[in-house]
Amino acid sequence: EPEVTQTPSHQVTQMGQEVILRCVPISNHLYFYWYRQILGQKVEFLVSFYNNEISEKSEIFDDQFSVERPDGSNFTLKIRSTKLEDSAMYFCASMPRRDNEQFFGPGTRLTVL
Amino acid sequence: AQKITQTQPGMFVQEKEAVTLDCTYDTSDQSYGLFWYKQPSSGEMIFLIYQGSYDEQNATEGRYSLNFQKARKSANLVISASQLGDSAMYFCAPFGGGGADGLTFGKGTHLIIQP
């Protein structure tokens, strides 16, 4: 069964460094999302992406964040200059069409030291 | 902004009993659906069940069913004949009429099934 994949599973970085989290959504899905979950808290929406552009973003998704779908298969989240409070699990999700379930990847645990 | 309330931060239930997890939401959208996801201790987010606001009947998916009361804006998840493997965090997430919006999750209910 097709699934969303994410790499790496765990990333450790120093404060101020740039990180790129990678996701491969399910083939033929049209809508793509990033979420984060700080340890012990709820899952929070960051950004949605459709037709090669951002369709919606939350207050969390500030200028330090960017997303790309560079080659039709990968979907990346870049954090330009990481802060301690960026430490969280980051989930990628994809959806085949409107009004359908979002399929989540296994997540990348980001630790900022 | 949507507000989602899951009033039970934690629940202990005996194996094989049925359990009801509460979820209420506040949305001005006339057309919306609602998802429930399960997050076991391993961390992945697993889709359980979906209810569309115009669905005539409550959604059912195996041991999972929804008690959807549109007027009260509640969509409680019922798990019948609970199993040890049901121990996990459970999150509800309504979504709006656009059908492609990012999900806003509740704070979740930590369900522990006891043998």
Side-chain angles (χ1 to χ4, degrees):
Chain A
E1 188 173 329
E3 57 185 22
V4 177
T5 59
Q6 291 185 242
T7 54
S9 56
H10 191 188
Q11 172 106 36
V12 181
T13 189
Q14 295 289 327
M15 190 170 56
Q17 294 296 304
E18 175 183 286
V19 294
I20 298 176
L21 309 183
R22 291 185 166 80
C23 169
V24 179
I26 295 172
S27 177
N28 297 326
H29 281 199
L30 300 178
Y31 298 88
F32 313 105
Y33 305 85
W34 282 102
Y35 294 86
R36 81 170 185 191
Q37 185 180 30
I38 295 171
L39 187 64
Q41 298 187 21
K42 65 178 181 178
V43 178
E44 299 173 291
F45 166 70
L46 292 178
V47 65
S48 59
F49 195 86
Y50 169 73
N51 202 25
N52 283 320
E53 61 182 20
I54 291 174
S55 47
E56 185 190 12
K57 58 184 180 180
S58 73
E59 292 177 352
I60 303 168
F61 194 87
D62 61 22
D63 293 344
Q64 293 298 311
F65 292 90
S66 62
V67 289
E68 266 193 331
R69 188 160 158 78
D71 56 12
S73 61
N74 291 287
F75 180 48
T76 62
L77 175 70
K78 181 194 290 186
I79 309 175
R80 234 177 301 279
S81 177
T82 50
K83 303 188 280 281
L84 295 176
E85 53 265 37
D86 293 327
S87 294
M89 180 75 89
Y90 288 81
F91 291 102
C92 171
S94 69
M95 187 170 74
R97 55 191 172 277
R98 286 180 178 274
D99 292 324
N100 206 273
E101 75 178 88
Q102 293 183 19
F103 293 77
F104 280 73
T108 292
R109 179 161 296 287
L110 176 66
T111 302
V112 182
L113 303 176
Chain B
Q2 295 184 356
K3 182 180 176 184
I4 299 96
T5 303
Q6 294 184 252
T7 58
Q8 307 143 310
M11 288 184 73
F12 289 87
V13 173
Q14 288 296 120
E15 190 180 8
K16 299 180 185 175
E17 288 184 354
V19 56
T20 298
L21 306 181
D22 297 338
C23 174
T24 58
Y25 49 88
D26 183 7
T27 175
S28 56
D29 273 324
Q30 292 302 308
S31 170
Y32 54 88
L34 186 134
F35 293 113
W36 276 91
Y37 280 83
K38 171 185 179 181
Q39 187 178 41
S41 58
S42 51
E44 70 266 34
M45 293 290 284
I46 302 168
F47 165 75
L48 293 179
I49 195 167
Y50 161 78
Q51 177 84 44
S53 66
Y54 294 119
D55 291 345
E56 293 285 329
Q57 301 198 345
N58 288 333
T60 299
E61 193 74 46
R63 292 187 299 113
Y64 304 108
S65 61
L66 283 181
N67 179 7
F68 182 54
Q69 299 183 45
K70 188 175 179 179
R72 295 178 58 189
K73 295 187 176 180
S74 77
N76 299 335
L77 176 70
V78 180
I79 307 174
S80 62
S82 57
Q83 303 170 356
L84 296 178
D86 293 332
S87 295
M89 286 292 293
Y90 289 81
F91 295 98
C92 69
F95 71 96
D101 299 342
L103 297 178
T104 301
F105 288 90
K107 292 185 177 181
T109 294
H110 189 191
L111 176 64
I112 297 173
I113 307 299
Q114 297 175 311

PDB file of all heavy atoms in Angstrom, chain B residues 68-97:
ATOM      1  N   PHE B  68     -22.487  11.463  15.838  1.00  0.00           N
ATOM      2  CA  PHE B  68     -22.404  12.807  15.292  1.00  0.00           C
ATOM      3  C   PHE B  68     -23.703  13.539  15.570  1.00  0.00           C
ATOM      4  O   PHE B  68     -24.782  13.103  15.165  1.00  0.00           O
ATOM      5  CB  PHE B  68     -22.155  12.731  13.781  1.00  0.00           C
ATOM      6  CG  PHE B  68     -21.999  14.048  13.096  1.00  0.00           C
ATOM      7  CD1 PHE B  68     -21.059  14.969  13.535  1.00  0.00           C
ATOM      8  CD2 PHE B  68     -22.776  14.374  11.995  1.00  0.00           C
ATOM      9  CE1 PHE B  68     -20.887  16.178  12.895  1.00  0.00           C
ATOM     10  CE2 PHE B  68     -22.622  15.590  11.346  1.00  0.00           C
ATOM     11  CZ  PHE B  68     -21.677  16.496  11.793  1.00  0.00           C
ATOM     12  N   GLN B  69     -23.583  14.660  16.295  1.00  0.00           N
ATOM     13  CA  GLN B  69     -24.748  15.483  16.589  1.00  0.00           C
ATOM     14  C   GLN B  69     -24.452  16.882  16.066  1.00  0.00           C
ATOM     15  O   GLN B  69     -23.838  17.708  16.749  1.00  0.00           O
ATOM     16  CB  GLN B  69     -25.030  15.491  18.089  1.00  0.00           C
ATOM     17  CG  GLN B  69     -25.341  14.097  18.625  1.00  0.00           C
ATOM     18  CD  GLN B  69     -25.682  14.095  20.092  1.00  0.00           C
ATOM     19  OE1 GLN B  69     -26.456  14.924  20.562  1.00  0.00           O
ATOM     20  NE2 GLN B  69     -25.093  13.180  20.831  1.00  0.00           N
ATOM     21  N   LYS B  70     -24.925  17.116  14.848  1.00  0.00           N
ATOM     22  CA  LYS B  70     -24.563  18.335  14.141  1.00  0.00           C
ATOM     23  C   LYS B  70     -25.021  19.581  14.878  1.00  0.00           C
ATOM     24  O   LYS B  70     -24.296  20.572  14.975  1.00  0.00           O
ATOM     25  CB  LYS B  70     -25.141  18.296  12.727  1.00  0.00           C
ATOM     26  CG  LYS B  70     -24.686  19.423  11.826  1.00  0.00           C
ATOM     27  CD  LYS B  70     -25.215  19.225  10.427  1.00  0.00           C
ATOM     28  CE  LYS B  70     -24.791  20.369   9.516  1.00  0.00           C
ATOM     29  NZ  LYS B  70     -25.284  20.178   8.140  1.00  0.00           N
ATOM     30  N   ALA B  71     -26.233  19.564  15.407  1.00  0.00           N
ATOM     31  CA  ALA B  71     -26.768  20.748  16.077  1.00  0.00           C
ATOM     32  C   ALA B  71     -25.948  21.094  17.314  1.00  0.00           C
ATOM     33  O   ALA B  71     -25.786  22.268  17.659  1.00  0.00           O
ATOM     34  CB  ALA B  71     -28.225  20.510  16.460  1.00  0.00           C
ATOM     35  N   ARG B  72     -25.420  20.085  17.969  1.00  0.00           N
ATOM     36  CA  ARG B  72     -24.608  20.325  19.166  1.00  0.00           C
ATOM     37  C   ARG B  72     -23.128  20.481  18.821  1.00  0.00           C
ATOM     38  O   ARG B  72     -22.300  20.696  19.698  1.00  0.00           O
ATOM     39  CB  ARG B  72     -24.772  19.167  20.141  1.00  0.00           C
ATOM     40  CG  ARG B  72     -26.180  19.025  20.692  1.00  0.00           C
ATOM     41  CD  ARG B  72     -26.293  17.833  21.625  1.00  0.00           C
ATOM     42  NE  ARG B  72     -25.350  17.936  22.740  1.00  0.00           N
ATOM     43  CZ  ARG B  72     -25.110  16.955  23.611  1.00  0.00           C
ATOM     44  NH1 ARG B  72     -25.717  15.801  23.477  1.00  0.00           N
ATOM     45  NH2 ARG B  72     -24.253  17.122  24.600  1.00  0.00           N
ATOM     46  N   LYS B  73     -22.798  20.308  17.537  1.00  0.00           N
ATOM     47  CA  LYS B  73     -21.409  20.393  17.076  1.00  0.00           C
ATOM     48  C   LYS B  73     -20.520  19.446  17.867  1.00  0.00           C
ATOM     49  O   LYS B  73     -19.485  19.846  18.436  1.00  0.00           O
ATOM     50  CB  LYS B  73     -20.888  21.823  17.137  1.00  0.00           C
ATOM     51  CG  LYS B  73     -21.625  22.750  16.178  1.00  0.00           C
ATOM     52  CD  LYS B  73     -20.994  24.127  16.121  1.00  0.00           C
ATOM     53  CE  LYS B  73     -21.719  24.980  15.076  1.00  0.00           C
ATOM     54  NZ  LYS B  73     -21.139  26.330  14.976  1.00  0.00           N
ATOM     55  N   SER B  74     -20.961  18.208  17.929  1.00  0.00           N
ATOM     56  CA  SER B  74     -20.144  17.203  18.590  1.00  0.00           C
ATOM     57  C   SER B  74     -20.045  15.956  17.724  1.00  0.00           C
ATOM     58  O   SER B  74     -20.977  15.632  16.968  1.00  0.00           O
ATOM     59  CB  SER B  74     -20.685  16.861  19.967  1.00  0.00           C
ATOM     60  OG  SER B  74     -21.809  16.023  19.873  1.00  0.00           O
ATOM     61  N   ALA B  75     -18.939  15.297  17.815  1.00  0.00           N
ATOM     62  CA  ALA B  75     -18.709  14.076  17.038  1.00  0.00           C
ATOM     63  C   ALA B  75     -17.857  13.150  17.883  1.00  0.00           C
ATOM     64  O   ALA B  75     -16.638  13.132  17.779  1.00  0.00           O
ATOM     65  CB  ALA B  75     -18.030  14.396  15.723  1.00  0.00           C
ATOM     66  N   ASN B  76     -18.528  12.391  18.733  1.00  0.00           N
ATOM     67  CA  ASN B  76     -17.828  11.526  19.669  1.00  0.00           C
ATOM     68  C   ASN B  76     -17.450  10.209  19.002  1.00  0.00           C
ATOM     69  O   ASN B  76     -18.251   9.606  18.275  1.00  0.00           O
ATOM     70  CB  ASN B  76     -18.688  11.263  20.893  1.00  0.00           C
ATOM     71  CG  ASN B  76     -19.013  12.540  21.633  1.00  0.00           C
ATOM     72  OD1 ASN B  76     -18.289  13.527  21.544  1.00  0.00           O
ATOM     73  ND2 ASN B  76     -20.114  12.520  22.354  1.00  0.00           N
ATOM     74  N   LEU B  77     -16.247   9.758  19.268  1.00  0.00           N
ATOM     75  CA  LEU B  77     -15.762   8.486  18.724  1.00  0.00           C
ATOM     76  C   LEU B  77     -16.105   7.369  19.700  1.00  0.00           C
ATOM     77  O   LEU B  77     -15.808   7.475  20.896  1.00  0.00           O
ATOM     78  CB  LEU B  77     -14.247   8.545  18.517  1.00  0.00           C
ATOM     79  CG  LEU B  77     -13.576   7.261  18.048  1.00  0.00           C
ATOM     80  CD1 LEU B  77     -13.967   6.937  16.606  1.00  0.00           C
ATOM     81  CD2 LEU B  77     -12.057   7.369  18.166  1.00  0.00           C
ATOM     82  N   VAL B  78     -16.718   6.321  19.191  1.00  0.00           N
ATOM     83  CA  VAL B  78     -17.035   5.151  19.996  1.00  0.00           C
ATOM     84  C   VAL B  78     -16.182   3.986  19.504  1.00  0.00           C
ATOM     85  O   VAL B  78     -16.183   3.667  18.311  1.00  0.00           O
ATOM     86  CB  VAL B  78     -18.530   4.789  19.906  1.00  0.00           C
ATOM     87  CG1 VAL B  78     -18.827   3.554  20.751  1.00  0.00           C
ATOM     88  CG2 VAL B  78     -19.392   5.960  20.354  1.00  0.00           C
ATOM     89  N   ILE B  79     -15.456   3.390  20.423  1.00  0.00           N
ATOM     90  CA  ILE B  79     -14.676   2.196  20.108  1.00  0.00           C
ATOM     91  C   ILE B  79     -15.343   1.032  20.828  1.00  0.00           C
ATOM     92  O   ILE B  79     -15.451   1.036  22.068  1.00  0.00           O
ATOM     93  CB  ILE B  79     -13.211   2.312  20.568  1.00  0.00           C
ATOM     94  CG1 ILE B  79     -12.569   3.584  20.016  1.00  0.00           C
ATOM     95  CG2 ILE B  79     -12.414   1.082  20.136  1.00  0.00           C
ATOM     96  CD1 ILE B  79     -11.162   3.853  20.554  1.00  0.00           C
ATOM     97  N   SER B  80     -15.804   0.076  20.078  1.00  0.00           N
ATOM     98  CA  SER B  80     -16.465  -1.072  20.698  1.00  0.00           C
ATOM     99  C   SER B  80     -15.419  -2.149  21.001  1.00  0.00           C
ATOM    100  O   SER B  80     -14.391  -2.240  20.339  1.00  0.00           O
ATOM    101  CB  SER B  80     -17.533  -1.636  19.764  1.00  0.00           C
ATOM    102  OG  SER B  80     -16.932  -2.103  18.574  1.00  0.00           O
ATOM    103  N   ALA B  81     -15.689  -2.940  22.019  1.00  0.00           N
ATOM    104  CA  ALA B  81     -14.829  -4.077  22.357  1.00  0.00           C
ATOM    105  C   ALA B  81     -13.358  -3.697  22.323  1.00  0.00           C
ATOM    106  O   ALA B  81     -12.573  -4.200  21.512  1.00  0.00           O
ATOM    107  CB  ALA B  81     -15.098  -5.232  21.399  1.00  0.00           C
ATOM    108  N   SER B  82     -12.964  -2.789  23.221  1.00  0.00           N
ATOM    109  CA  SER B  82     -11.613  -2.245  23.189  1.00  0.00           C
ATOM    110  C   SER B  82     -10.558  -3.339  23.356  1.00  0.00           C
ATOM    111  O   SER B  82     -10.788  -4.369  24.014  1.00  0.00           O
ATOM    112  CB  SER B  82     -11.459  -1.180  24.271  1.00  0.00           C
ATOM    113  OG  SER B  82     -11.759  -1.719  25.542  1.00  0.00           O
ATOM    114  N   GLN B  83      -9.405  -3.070  22.753  1.00  0.00           N
ATOM    115  CA  GLN B  83      -8.279  -4.006  22.782  1.00  0.00           C
ATOM    116  C   GLN B  83      -7.053  -3.277  23.322  1.00  0.00           C
ATOM    117  O   GLN B  83      -6.980  -2.052  23.284  1.00  0.00           O
ATOM    118  CB  GLN B  83      -7.990  -4.513  21.355  1.00  0.00           C
ATOM    119  CG  GLN B  83      -9.163  -5.182  20.686  1.00  0.00           C
ATOM    120  CD  GLN B  83      -8.917  -5.452  19.208  1.00  0.00           C
ATOM    121  OE1 GLN B  83      -7.898  -5.071  18.641  1.00  0.00           O
ATOM    122  NE2 GLN B  83      -9.878  -6.125  18.578  1.00  0.00           N
ATOM    123  N   LEU B  84      -6.088  -4.053  23.800  1.00  0.00           N
ATOM    124  CA  LEU B  84      -4.878  -3.453  24.350  1.00  0.00           C
ATOM    125  C   LEU B  84      -4.199  -2.536  23.340  1.00  0.00           C
ATOM    126  O   LEU B  84      -3.636  -1.502  23.686  1.00  0.00           O
ATOM    127  CB  LEU B  84      -3.910  -4.537  24.816  1.00  0.00           C
ATOM    128  CG  LEU B  84      -4.403  -5.421  25.974  1.00  0.00           C
ATOM    129  CD1 LEU B  84      -3.370  -6.488  26.307  1.00  0.00           C
ATOM    130  CD2 LEU B  84      -4.718  -4.591  27.211  1.00  0.00           C
ATOM    131  N   GLY B  85      -4.272  -2.923  22.068  1.00  0.00           N
ATOM    132  CA  GLY B  85      -3.651  -2.126  21.015  1.00  0.00           C
ATOM    133  C   GLY B  85      -4.353  -0.807  20.744  1.00  0.00           C
ATOM    134  O   GLY B  85      -3.843   0.010  19.965  1.00  0.00           O
ATOM    135  N   ASP B  86      -5.477  -0.582  21.378  1.00  0.00           N
ATOM    136  CA  ASP B  86      -6.169   0.702  21.217  1.00  0.00           C
ATOM    137  C   ASP B  86      -5.553   1.781  22.101  1.00  0.00           C
ATOM    138  O   ASP B  86      -5.911   2.953  21.982  1.00  0.00           O
ATOM    139  CB  ASP B  86      -7.655   0.556  21.568  1.00  0.00           C
ATOM    140  CG  ASP B  86      -8.402  -0.331  20.591  1.00  0.00           C
ATOM    141  OD1 ASP B  86      -7.984  -0.415  19.412  1.00  0.00           O
ATOM    142  OD2 ASP B  86      -9.401  -0.952  21.012  1.00  0.00           O
ATOM    143  N   SER B  87      -4.673   1.400  22.989  1.00  0.00           N
ATOM    144  CA  SER B  87      -4.013   2.386  23.851  1.00  0.00           C
ATOM    145  C   SER B  87      -3.203   3.355  22.987  1.00  0.00           C
ATOM    146  O   SER B  87      -2.304   2.938  22.244  1.00  0.00           O
ATOM    147  CB  SER B  87      -3.079   1.686  24.843  1.00  0.00           C
ATOM    148  OG  SER B  87      -3.809   0.881  25.746  1.00  0.00           O
ATOM    149  N   ALA B  88      -3.555   4.636  23.075  1.00  0.00           N
ATOM    150  CA  ALA B  88      -2.935   5.645  22.208  1.00  0.00           C
ATOM    151  C   ALA B  88      -3.524   7.004  22.537  1.00  0.00           C
ATOM    152  O   ALA B  88      -4.443   7.127  23.358  1.00  0.00           O
ATOM    153  CB  ALA B  88      -3.211   5.324  20.732  1.00  0.00           C
ATOM    154  N   MET B  89      -2.990   8.036  21.877  1.00  0.00           N
ATOM    155  CA  MET B  89      -3.623   9.356  21.871  1.00  0.00           C
ATOM    156  C   MET B  89      -4.625   9.385  20.729  1.00  0.00           C
ATOM    157  O   MET B  89      -4.359   8.836  19.654  1.00  0.00           O
ATOM    158  CB  MET B  89      -2.584  10.462  21.658  1.00  0.00           C
ATOM    159  CG  MET B  89      -1.710  10.759  22.844  1.00  0.00           C
ATOM    160  SD  MET B  89      -2.594  11.511  24.219  1.00  0.00           S
ATOM    161  CE  MET B  89      -3.046  13.097  23.519  1.00  0.00           C
ATOM    162  N   TYR B  90      -5.750  10.028  20.953  1.00  0.00           N
ATOM    163  CA  TYR B  90      -6.773  10.157  19.922  1.00  0.00           C
ATOM    164  C   TYR B  90      -7.077  11.645  19.725  1.00  0.00           C
ATOM    165  O   TYR B  90      -7.359  12.356  20.682  1.00  0.00           O
ATOM    166  CB  TYR B  90      -8.042   9.406  20.329  1.00  0.00           C
ATOM    167  CG  TYR B  90      -7.871   7.912  20.272  1.00  0.00           C
ATOM    168  CD1 TYR B  90      -7.242   7.238  21.312  1.00  0.00           C
ATOM    169  CD2 TYR B  90      -8.286   7.186  19.159  1.00  0.00           C
ATOM    170  CE1 TYR B  90      -7.047   5.866  21.248  1.00  0.00           C
ATOM    171  CE2 TYR B  90      -8.107   5.818  19.093  1.00  0.00           C
ATOM    172  CZ  TYR B  90      -7.492   5.164  20.136  1.00  0.00           C
ATOM    173  OH  TYR B  90      -7.299   3.800  20.072  1.00  0.00           O
ATOM    174  N   PHE B  91      -7.013  12.058  18.463  1.00  0.00           N
ATOM    175  CA  PHE B  91      -7.236  13.457  18.123  1.00  0.00           C
ATOM    176  C   PHE B  91      -8.407  13.580  17.160  1.00  0.00           C
ATOM    177  O   PHE B  91      -8.506  12.826  16.187  1.00  0.00           O
ATOM    178  CB  PHE B  91      -6.011  14.062  17.425  1.00  0.00           C
ATOM    179  CG  PHE B  91      -4.778  14.133  18.283  1.00  0.00           C
ATOM    180  CD1 PHE B  91      -3.796  13.149  18.192  1.00  0.00           C
ATOM    181  CD2 PHE B  91      -4.589  15.176  19.165  1.00  0.00           C
ATOM    182  CE1 PHE B  91      -2.649  13.212  18.977  1.00  0.00           C
ATOM    183  CE2 PHE B  91      -3.441  15.250  19.945  1.00  0.00           C
ATOM    184  CZ  PHE B  91      -2.476  14.260  19.853  1.00  0.00           C
ATOM    185  N   CYS B  92      -9.280  14.556  17.418  1.00  0.00           N
ATOM    186  CA  CYS B  92     -10.307  14.871  16.436  1.00  0.00           C
ATOM    187  C   CYS B  92      -9.911  16.152  15.704  1.00  0.00           C
ATOM    188  O   CYS B  92      -9.176  16.984  16.248  1.00  0.00           O
ATOM    189  CB  CYS B  92     -11.681  15.000  17.061  1.00  0.00           C
ATOM    190  SG  CYS B  92     -11.903  16.426  18.132  1.00  0.00           S
ATOM    191  N   ALA B  93     -10.387  16.279  14.480  1.00  0.00           N
ATOM    192  CA  ALA B  93     -10.018  17.430  13.649  1.00  0.00           C
ATOM    193  C   ALA B  93     -11.138  17.723  12.671  1.00  0.00           C
ATOM    194  O   ALA B  93     -11.298  17.008  11.680  1.00  0.00           O
ATOM    195  CB  ALA B  93      -8.710  17.165  12.906  1.00  0.00           C
ATOM    196  N   PRO B  94     -11.909  18.771  12.910  1.00  0.00           N
ATOM    197  CA  PRO B  94     -12.886  19.191  11.908  1.00  0.00           C
ATOM    198  C   PRO B  94     -12.175  19.924  10.785  1.00  0.00           C
ATOM    199  O   PRO B  94     -11.079  20.462  10.985  1.00  0.00           O
ATOM    200  CB  PRO B  94     -13.804  20.142  12.686  1.00  0.00           C
ATOM    201  CG  PRO B  94     -12.962  20.652  13.800  1.00  0.00           C
ATOM    202  CD  PRO B  94     -11.938  19.611  14.113  1.00  0.00           C
ATOM    203  N   PHE B  95     -12.759  19.924   9.629  1.00  0.00           N
ATOM    204  CA  PHE B  95     -12.211  20.752   8.564  1.00  0.00           C
ATOM    205  C   PHE B  95     -13.344  21.378   7.779  1.00  0.00           C
ATOM    206  O   PHE B  95     -14.456  20.882   7.736  1.00  0.00           O
ATOM    207  CB  PHE B  95     -11.256  19.960   7.671  1.00  0.00           C
ATOM    208  CG  PHE B  95     -11.925  18.948   6.786  1.00  0.00           C
ATOM    209  CD1 PHE B  95     -12.240  19.255   5.474  1.00  0.00           C
ATOM    210  CD2 PHE B  95     -12.202  17.686   7.259  1.00  0.00           C
ATOM    211  CE1 PHE B  95     -12.840  18.322   4.659  1.00  0.00           C
ATOM    212  CE2 PHE B  95     -12.806  16.750   6.448  1.00  0.00           C
ATOM    213  CZ  PHE B  95     -13.128  17.059   5.140  1.00  0.00           C
ATOM    214  N   GLY B  96     -13.027  22.513   7.150  1.00  0.00           N
ATOM    215  CA  GLY B  96     -14.041  23.378   6.592  1.00  0.00           C
ATOM    216  C   GLY B  96     -14.465  23.018   5.189  1.00  0.00           C
ATOM    217  O   GLY B  96     -13.982  22.053   4.593  1.00  0.00           O
ATOM    218  N   GLY B  97     -15.364  23.838   4.674  1.00  0.00           N
ATOM    219  CA  GLY B  97     -15.999  23.550   3.406  1.00  0.00           C
ATOM    220  C   GLY B  97     -15.074  23.564   2.228  1.00  0.00           C
ATOM    221  O   GLY B  97     -15.416  23.048   1.166  1.00  0.00           O
TER     222      GLY B  97
END
